[in-house]
Structures are given as structure tokens and as C-alpha cells.
Amino acid sequence: MDMEEWEQRHTEAFYDAKEALPYLDGMFVAYNSNIDAIRHLTEKDMIKLVGLFDEAEIQNRVAVYPREITEPVDFVARLLISMREGKAAEVPAYTEDIHKWLKEHLGFDYALMGGQAGIISNLLARLDLKKVVAYVPWLSEEQAEYFVDNGNILHPRVENGQVTLKPPAEAFKPGTGSKVNWIFEFSKDMKVTCAGSTFKVPRDNRLIISSRPKWIRLDMDREIYEQLYALFPVDGAMLSGYQMIKEEYEDGSTYKDYVERSVKVIEKLKSLNPELRIHVELTSIQNRLIRKTILTDIVARHVHSLGLDTVEVANALNVLGYEELSYSVIRKGENGIMSLYQGAVQLMKDLKLERVHVHSLGFYICILAKGHPLTLKEHRDALLFSSVLAAAQALNGKIENLTEAEAGLEVPVSAAGLEDLENFQLYCTGRKLCTPDEFEYGYIYGPDHDAILIPSKVVDRPKATVGIGDTISAGAFAAMLARMKQKQAGK
Ligand code: ADP
């Protein structure tokens, strides 16, 4: 495979997508967003924090090893444990009190939009889509501030029973709490003293206090559901956050209620625009029952497109009963990419999807059902566009607009990714799944599905990597829809 050629293809695909994007009317994006507050801790901070409590009480709490943060001393105890061991940890907090306490006693260095729907909405707005309709059921005043202020993000607001679209800053629900995840970073060699003993932090690491307010529900307000037409016209919907569904709630409702309502929303969206394409972005879901239910009851038969990384492919296969294939994807051995390919095909078939987009470091695979309105080259170019966005995001930690995204064009295509694809080519041509010629272009015409495999651009020393997966999926999905609209317009 020719590296130069792939660089050239990236460049052409990027500018083609840029031309196609204005053909989109809009995208609907729901459900999850939160605030990621990042704070780097110093020795001085630790002296202050420890000084706020009785040191014997802290010691006792360290011995108890709190599994959730119910009061501030739990936080200090878990922080000391993480620092002493140099281990990353994530501890849930189910109330908002700790957020208020941390804001008051520590504050953060900077805060970012977090959560898949939040990240995707901001990215699409920066790609200059005419309209991004974001919907976050728990949009608080504080959360609304993290949406970009480009004028093209709108959020439904209910006023006197009427649904209208407003900028998030005018659409938040007064009185709603915020979901803030705190990320505390600490450095190697920091000295920490508590109750007369001092230790040195063995390595750089972080403690995350993840906010899981009990009142959060993955649901849509009744009025918005009933007047969903007010959000249109949109050409696509990108849905995520289903992992927040819980098996049981204190009020007696269960996951079944929320799954059923989620499906109703999808069906209604499709009925309002039969051409509408729906993409679900997966993330890791610890609870196997919820993971399986999301795949079989929400994704299967209802949505068109699924985006996920390699670990999630393995996790999905595992709950769908393909354990061996799942292990082989995880092991990433010599056959890793072949298993990944087979796994993605299996997901497309079992979940009755039109498209499965898997991103990995160095290459992306997209499996397509037969009969899609775009050519394989057009699908390939949508993926290449997203590879440029991923590179720009890794390089600068952010993408402010399409012009800044051009920085991604300078990032080289991953040599390791190309090598993985070359191995895959040998496997495919050996089994007559494709000819060497078609593979050179990055696509395969299979008997019951088609596939795209591209090497992607990878930044050696990324500035930040959070949310790159979401950027890849959103960029490719938007570029694909834009090309479909452009073609419909006869261009
Ligand atoms: P997240 O949920 O944080 O987005 P994912 O695992 O879903 O994480 O996605 C990470 C993806 O980002 C990888 O699959 C890879 O394609 C891409 N990526 C990670 N690091 C880089 C990098 N340095 N340069 C380019 N792309 C990267």
C-alpha cells in the first residue's frame, strides 16, 4: 500500500467533505453531556486539604476504603490511597454536595465539555453545520455554558406547553443540578503527609470522582416527545448515553421502561423523516444485562449505524454469545485485525445495521450492508475526513473550526496502521475475499456485505486524547450524510 497515495486521498477527501457539509439541514444529538473539571494538585493543596479534617478521622476513612464519596473526608481518603499507590481510580458520587464542596474548597484549573452527546454537538457546530439540535434531559444553567456559542447549536425549550428551539443558554431547566466529573491529577515525587507519616507519590496519575446524580434519567420530556417535529428539518440523529440506564430505580421503574421509551423516540424520529439516518455511539458498559439490552433492544432493527472502538467490539460480541471471537479481538494477536473484521461483520448482521464503524489506533474499518446509496469510494472518503479531524484533535487538543482542522492534514498516516492493513490484505486475498487491486483503494466488495478499511493519521505525542473516538464517528457520519444530500441535489 502506498503511503503517499493515502496522504493524497486524505487531502482530497477533506476538501470534498468540506464542500458537501453545507448540504446538510441539520443533525439531532442526544442525550449525555457533563462537565469535566480538571485540577492538578500540588503539595500545598494537600497540606490544605489534610488540614481541613481531623487526621485520625482521615486515617480511619483510609482503612474503610470508601467505594463511593458521600462526604468530603471520603474524597480525601481515596485521594491519599491513590497517591500512595500511584494508581488511577474512579469513584462515584451520587449527590451533588461534593461538587459544591470541591468548587468551594479547591476549584478547578479548567473545565471542558464532557459526555458523548456534548462532545459531538460541539464538534458538529464547529464544522459549521447549519443546525445542531442538542438534547440533554438534564441541561443545567452551568452545563449550558459548555456548548459552543456559534449560533448553530439549538436546544428544545418548553414554554407554556409549546416547544421551540433556543440556544442552550436560553433553554436550560432552572433548578437542574449539574453532572460534574472531577479529574484530580498528581505528579510523581510529590510529598504528602498525613497523621505523622509522609510518603512520596510513586508515579503520575489521577483520581476521578464521577458524578452519578440519582435524579438523572435517560428520557425525553413529554412535551418534546409530542412535538418532536419542532426539531426538524434534520437529516440524521446521533444518539448516545444509553449506558446511563440503570437496572432499577428507587421509584420502582426499571431499565425496561427507559428502553421502551428510547425506542419510541427513535421510531418517532424516523416517522417524521423516513430518510433520516440514526447513529448510536457506544462506550464501555460495565453491566452486562444493560449492555446486551442496549444492543438487542435499542440498536438492533431500530438504528442504521453504530460507532465503537475495538474493546467495545469485543464487549459487544461477548454478550451476544460470540465469546471466542471476542477474546480473539481483545488478544490483538496476529489475527487481531481479522477477528475485528469478522466481529464487525457479525455485529452488522446480528443487529441488522446498515453500517458499523470501528475505529482503532492507525486504521478504521467500516462494514456496510449491501444497497447503500453511496459508492464505496464515497464511504471511504467520509472515513478519511474523520481521520483528518482525529489528527487535528490529537495535535491541538481541540478543533475550533474547519480551517483549524486542516492542521490534521499535516499529520502523517500511521505506518503501523498501514502494516496492519497489509497483513489483512494477505489474509483476504489468500481467502479470495477480495482482489489485491480493490484492496489498494481501501474497499472490499463482499458477497453479503461491503467493507472499507483505511489507514488513519496518528499523532505521535498527542496533546489530548479524550473524545477522539466521538470526533471520528461524528465526522464520518456527518460527511456521509452530507454526501448523500449533495448527491440528491444532483451534484
Ligand atoms: P474516547 O472515548 O476517549 O473517544 P475511544 O477509545 O472511543 O476513546 O477512541 C479513541 C480513538 O481515538 C482511537 O480508536 C483512535 O482511532 C483515536 N486516537 C487515539 N489517539 C490518537 C492519536 N494520537 N492520533 C490520532 N488518533 C488517535
Side-chain angles (χ1 to χ4, degrees), residues 309 359-361 364 390 394 457-459 462 465-470 472:
D309 71 12
H359 49 81
S360 181
L361 194 63
Y364 308 158
K457 290 174 174 276
V458 170
V459 176
T465 57
V466 244
I468 303 187
D470 303 333
I472 297 168

Side-chain angles (χ1 to χ4, degrees), residues 120-378:
I120 290 173
S121 302
N122 279 352
L123 173 83
L124 295 177
R126 287 173 164 139
L127 298 184
D128 271 346
L129 254 61
K130 268 189 216 106
K131 183 173 82 172
V132 178
V133 182
Y135 177 64
V136 180
W138 50 88
L139 187 72
S140 68
E141 183 169 11
E142 191 181 11
Q143 177 72 71
E145 289 169 19
Y146 290 84
F147 283 89
V148 299
D149 191 13
N150 280 10
N152 52 353
I153 300 194
L154 298 171
H155 191 284
R157 180 171 80 172
V158 188
E159 219 177 353
N160 304 325
Q162 278 303 105
V163 175
T164 50
L165 291 179
K166 295 279 174 196
E170 295 168 35
F172 64 86
K173 275 189 221 156
T176 306
S178 295
K179 180 169 157 54
V180 183
N181 294 332
W182 287 79
I183 301 161
F184 294 100
E185 300 172 333
F186 39 86
S187 308
K188 185 172 183 270
D189 293 339
M190 239 175 100
K191 274 202 198 113
V192 183
T193 305
C194 180
S197 74
T198 301
F199 65 86
K200 237 171 124 183
V201 173
R203 62 187 74 82
D204 289 0
N205 228 316
R206 59 194 201 169
L207 172 75
I208 301 177
I209 307 296
S210 57
S211 151
R212 314 229 177 107
K214 289 204 171 107
W215 43 263
I216 281 203
R217 295 287 186 280
L218 196 106
D219 205 357
M220 184 174 271
D221 299 295
R222 184 98 233 131
E223 292 97 335
I224 299 178
Y225 174 77
E226 270 157 16
Q227 298 170 53
L228 214 48
Y229 52 81
L231 279 47
F232 283 68
V234 290
D235 310 291
M238 297 199 71
L239 306 177
S240 54
Y242 297 116
Q243 67 275 9
M244 295 171 79
I245 296 177
K246 296 205 297 186
E247 271 186 56
E248 282 175 9
Y249 294 85
E250 283 168 349
D251 62 6
S253 55
T254 72
Y255 68 99
K256 290 186 182 153
D257 301 302
Y258 292 93
V259 167
E260 192 184 314
R261 274 181 256 170
S262 298
V263 170
K264 276 193 176 152
V265 170
I266 293 175
E267 291 307 320
K268 188 145 188 189
L269 284 167
K270 289 195 292 193
S271 73
L272 289 163
N273 172 7
E275 296 285 300
L276 185 90
R277 291 298 203 280
I278 300 198
H279 175 95
V280 165
E281 188 62 20
L282 271 197
T283 189
S284 61
I285 308 163
Q286 299 303 329
N287 182 314
R288 288 175 60 88
L289 170 69
I290 299 292
R291 194 194 306 157
K292 184 167 184 203
T293 307
I294 291 172
L295 291 167
T296 56
D297 295 7
I298 299 181
V299 171
R301 300 176 310 280
H302 301 119
V303 314
H304 304 88
S305 168
L306 184 68
L308 66 182
D309 71 12
T310 52
V311 175
E312 289 142 18
V313 171
N315 288 341
L317 289 170
N318 201 288
V319 287
L320 293 176
Y322 303 98
E323 281 171 25
E324 221 163 287
L325 190 54
S326 156
Y327 293 133
S328 160
V329 171
I330 282 288
R331 273 197 304 272
K332 285 192 180 169
E334 233 172 82
N335 294 328
I337 182 167
M338 286 59 138
S339 308
L340 189 61
Y341 178 87
Q342 287 167 358
V345 171
Q346 202 63 54
L347 291 182
M348 184 204 76
K349 289 184 182 164
D350 278 30
L351 305 177
K352 313 260 180 301
L353 294 159
E354 187 176 75
R355 175 178 185 273
V356 176
H357 179 181
V358 183
H359 49 81
S360 181
L361 194 63
F363 63 87
Y364 308 158
I365 299 178
C366 185
I367 309 293
L368 295 155
K370 291 280 182 190
H372 197 280
L374 290 189
T375 65
L376 294 194
K377 177 182 179 301
E378 288 164 332

Side-chain angles (χ1 to χ4, degrees), residues 53-54 57-58 61 66 71-78 98 101:
F53 301 90
D54 170 20
E57 194 194 348
I58 301 180
R61 213 49 76 92
E71 49 179 342
V73 67
D74 295 327
F75 157 67
V76 179
R78 284 303 302 254
I98 190 72
W101 189 88

Side-chain angles (χ1 to χ4, degrees), residues 447-458:
D448 52 5
H449 67 271
D450 295 326
I452 314 286
L453 292 103
I454 66 149
S456 68
K457 290 174 174 276
V458 170

Side-chain angles (χ1 to χ4, degrees), residues 100-117:
K100 291 195 190 112
W101 189 88
L102 289 169
K103 231 164 111 173
E104 209 172 290
H105 291 85
L106 273 174
F108 46 77
D109 299 330
Y110 59 99
L112 305 167
M113 172 65 98
Q116 296 152 291

